[in-house]
Amino acid sequence: MGKKSKKEVVGDCAKGAKIFKQKCAQCHTCVESGGNKTGPLLFGLFGRKTGSVGTYDYTAANKDKGIEWNEKTLDVYLTNPKKYIPGTKMIFAGLKKLQERADLIAYLKKETCSN
């Protein structure tokens, strides 16, 4: 048998905003002037390398991971942050549901980009 084809999931920004407010906003901001909280500022996230917000104190694991944030890397990371970047100080357990991750990523893409 061949590979199972993955059905593309389309994210819903409005649902992603609710997820961000419930699960992320305590530690992160998305707006350019928001600054760091417990976690780093997410403005400019897409296309940025891990551990690269100069004003945030990352673990060596985050600095050394060396990946660029995009939809695919965020999906893997948000599934289980501690598995994707062992040694991260992010205490979030992850989002197990594919649709929730897609919704959150759609929201982040809209809210953290400068264009």
Side-chain angles (χ1 to χ4, degrees), residues 4-64:
K4 289 184 181 178
S5 63
K6 287 189 175 182
K7 183 181 174 186
E8 186 172 331
V9 178
V10 177
D12 180 317
C13 280
K15 289 179 181 177
K18 289 178 184 175
I19 294 167
F20 184 85
K21 185 175 181 182
Q22 293 170 343
K23 301 187 181 273
C24 312
Q26 182 177 345
C27 297
H28 296 281
T29 58
C30 291
V31 294
E32 188 171 12
S33 61
N36 299 318
K37 291 171 92 174
T38 303
L41 171 68
L42 297 179
F43 186 81
L45 176 66
F46 287 82
R48 186 168 78 199
K49 296 273 188 194
T50 53
S52 64
V53 173
T55 57
Y56 186 75
D57 184 27
Y58 290 96
T59 62
N62 263 63
K63 290 178 187 175
D64 296 342

Side-chain angles (χ1 to χ4, degrees), residues 73-97:
T73 55
L74 278 169
D75 182 58
V76 175
Y77 181 69
L78 290 170
T79 302
N80 188 338
K82 289 192 179 294
K83 182 177 180 183
Y84 191 58
I85 303 180
T88 184
K89 61 183 168 183
M90 186 157 133
I91 58 170
F92 181 60
L95 292 171
K96 303 307 176 213
K97 295 180 181 175

